[in-house]
Amino acid sequence: MLELYPWQQEIWQKLLQNRQYWRHALLLIGKKGIGKYTFSLQLAKSLLCHSAKAEHIACGACLSCGWFEQNGHPNLHCVIPEALSTDSVAITDQENRESSSLSKAKKNLSQQISIDQIRHLNDFVYLTSHQKGYKIVLIYPAETMTHAAANALLKKLEEPPADVLFILVAHQIQRLLPTIRSRCQQIVMPIPSVETSIMWLKQHGISDPELILPLNDFSPLSTYSFVLEQLSIPHQRFVDSIKQGKNFDPFALALSLQQTHLSTVVGWLQKWCYDLVSYRITGKIRYYLKLLPIIQTLSKQIDLIAYMAFLKELSTHQKLSHHPLNARLFLEEMFIRYSFMLCNK
Ligand SMILES: [Zn+2]
């Protein structure tokens, strides 16, 4: 069941009360991890619902809501990059899943929205709708459209059919073509206050959210994903292996993590190395708080200059991890570099 987050109630009311002033395209903007995607789905569901309840909330019981929850509404077309696609796009929080290692490994799938995906909209947009009412095109994240895809969309925005509503969702509005931005009604999505975020995280069973929230850019959804990630089996494998110091086996770890999203694994190693370097310089760590005694021991063994250089190298690895490659070899090479520096000190 799709629900609005508490910090979205006010903007929901304002937006729906002013429905008569909407243009044919809405652009929801705001930083990652504040629930924009969930909001956009809830909006689509509400507009398609045959008997929306008070506050414009979808009834959840009509034929339209049934189709929606089974991801098969004929009047809704979601356009998202292949790498973010899921079998349950209508009922899952995509923003949350995106940063979660629990999502399926999506090797070699595009992170961008292609021109073909936009072209495929033609039949949907220009042919008659299945039922009366809106046809909705949801594009997420809109800034991942290739230049060609964005131009193809622009043509549709310039000559929009009357019964079609485009909902674009963007984390980084500056990466969208100005001509697309100007054709959309922009809606700045609210960022929850620290207090609201902490309350929401506690309600969802997260202990000590005050400590973790700042590590996740004060985003409650990213924080929630972060905690789930920490509890995941791949992350436990990573921790169990890396904490062995010089006895760490790079080949075994690469083998056991080759099905995990590469950028997620690089992120774990980045945080681990950050903590080793940070403890050595400042006596403090940020991420692996429960492993402080091990980090204290290991940080004395590292060559500080080499590790700082390695941290930079990991940023490059992070970029490469999004491109098609052999996952196991990629991880082996990275872990060998890490263990080599420990052994050579
Ligand atoms: Zn309904």
Side-chain angles (χ1 to χ4, degrees):
M1 184 67 189
L2 206 57
E3 287 185 6
L4 289 175
Y5 295 105
W7 54 91
Q8 297 176 332
Q9 301 288 347
E10 196 179 331
I11 193 153
W12 176 268
Q13 293 304 329
K14 276 189 191 161
L15 189 62
L16 272 298
Q17 279 164 10
N18 292 302
R19 194 163 146 186
Q20 69 270 33
Y21 304 114
W22 290 7
R23 290 159 70 177
H24 59 274
L26 303 177
L27 171 58
L28 309 185
I29 52 180
K31 71 174 193 175
K32 218 176 203 176
I34 56 172
K36 299 185 298 299
Y37 187 71
T38 299
F39 186 93
S40 66
L41 285 174
Q42 183 68 282
L43 190 59
K45 189 177 180 185
S46 163
L47 296 172
L48 294 169
C49 174
H50 296 156
S51 49
K53 296 186 287 189
E55 319 289 347
H56 308 280
I57 300 291
C59 75
C62 69
L63 186 62
S64 175
C65 287
W67 282 335
F68 190 94
E69 286 176 14
Q70 289 164 26
N71 304 331
H73 202 297
N75 284 9
L76 172 66
H77 193 116
C78 293
V79 185
I80 60 178
E82 276 183 338
L84 297 184
S85 65
T86 70
D87 296 330
S88 53
V89 76
I91 55 170
T92 319
D93 178 39
Q94 188 75 27
E95 267 182 90
N96 226 7
R97 288 177 66 88
E98 198 179 328
S99 55
S100 168
S101 67
L102 300 180
S103 59
K104 286 183 277 180
K106 304 221 169 49
K107 288 179 293 184
N108 304 346
L109 295 180
S110 176
Q111 303 278 340
Q112 292 189 304
I113 292 172
S114 68
I115 185 168
D116 283 344
Q117 286 176 277
I118 300 297
R119 281 185 183 142
H120 283 154
L121 284 173
N122 284 350
D123 283 354
F124 177 77
V125 169
Y126 296 115
L127 297 182
T128 358
S129 68
H130 187 268
Q131 294 192 310
K132 280 185 181 173
Y134 274 126
K135 281 187 289 184
I136 298 174
V137 175
L138 177 55
I139 302 179
Y140 173 88
E143 69 268 32
T144 62
M145 281 187 287
T146 62
H147 192 71
N151 276 314
L153 178 70
L154 186 59
K155 289 194 184 118
K156 293 179 183 23
L157 294 180
E158 282 167 349
E159 294 167 18
D163 55 349
V164 176
L165 175 72
F166 291 87
I167 305 177
L168 283 70
V169 184
H171 310 306
Q172 295 173 293
I173 188 180
Q174 69 279 11
R175 286 177 54 200
L176 265 182
L177 284 182
T179 39
I180 285 193
R181 296 195 308 237
S182 68
R183 297 211 168 258
C184 297
Q185 184 169 338
Q186 296 186 20
I187 296 149
V188 179
M189 293 299 291
I191 298 171
S193 68
V194 173
E195 293 75 23
T196 305
S197 300
I198 287 173
M199 195 188 306
W200 184 83
L201 286 164
K202 282 185 175 168
Q203 284 166 354
H204 286 77
I206 307 298
S207 54
D208 301 326
E210 300 85 350
L211 290 176
I212 325 167
L213 192 61
L215 305 182
N216 292 283
D217 197 22
F218 290 92
S219 154
L221 303 185
S222 302
T223 305
Y224 188 69
S225 288
F226 175 79
V227 174
L228 290 187
E229 187 182 295
Q230 300 284 306
L231 297 172
S232 72
I233 291 171
H235 187 258
Q236 279 306 315
R237 283 187 194 139
F238 172 80
V239 168
D240 290 344
S241 180
I242 205 104
K243 73 182 186 186
Q244 291 174 27
K246 289 182 179 177
N247 296 323
F248 156 71
D249 181 343
F251 296 100
L253 186 58
L255 181 64
S256 72
L257 295 180
Q258 62 179 331
Q259 296 299 325
T260 307
H261 202 292
L262 289 182
S263 70
T264 303
V265 180
V266 179
W268 295 340
L269 189 60
Q270 281 177 310
K271 290 184 174 104
W272 179 259
C273 290
Y274 174 91
D275 274 355
L276 289 178
V277 169
S278 173
Y279 187 79
R280 180 74 170 273
I281 297 173
T282 67
K284 290 180 184 168
I285 63 173
R286 284 187 77 176
Y287 301 106
Y288 290 91
L289 302 169
K290 289 180 182 162
L291 297 173
L292 180 61
I294 294 167
I295 287 170
Q296 283 173 330
T297 309
L298 283 180
S299 74
K300 288 175 198 153
Q301 299 171 15
I302 64 169
D303 176 337
L304 191 56
I305 304 295
Y307 257 74
M308 288 169 82
F310 184 57
L311 262 176
K312 268 193 180 172
E313 225 175 271
L314 286 176
S315 301
T316 312
H317 275 71
Q318 189 58 266
K319 286 175 198 152
L320 292 174
S321 70
H322 293 291
H323 296 290
L325 35 76
N326 182 314
R328 189 167 153 191
L329 288 179
F330 176 89
L331 292 175
E332 279 179 0
E333 192 265 332
M334 183 175 74
F335 289 141
I336 288 169
R337 286 274 299 124
Y338 168 80
S339 68
F340 185 72
M341 285 193 298
L342 267 184
C343 295
N344 278 282
K345 175 63 186 168

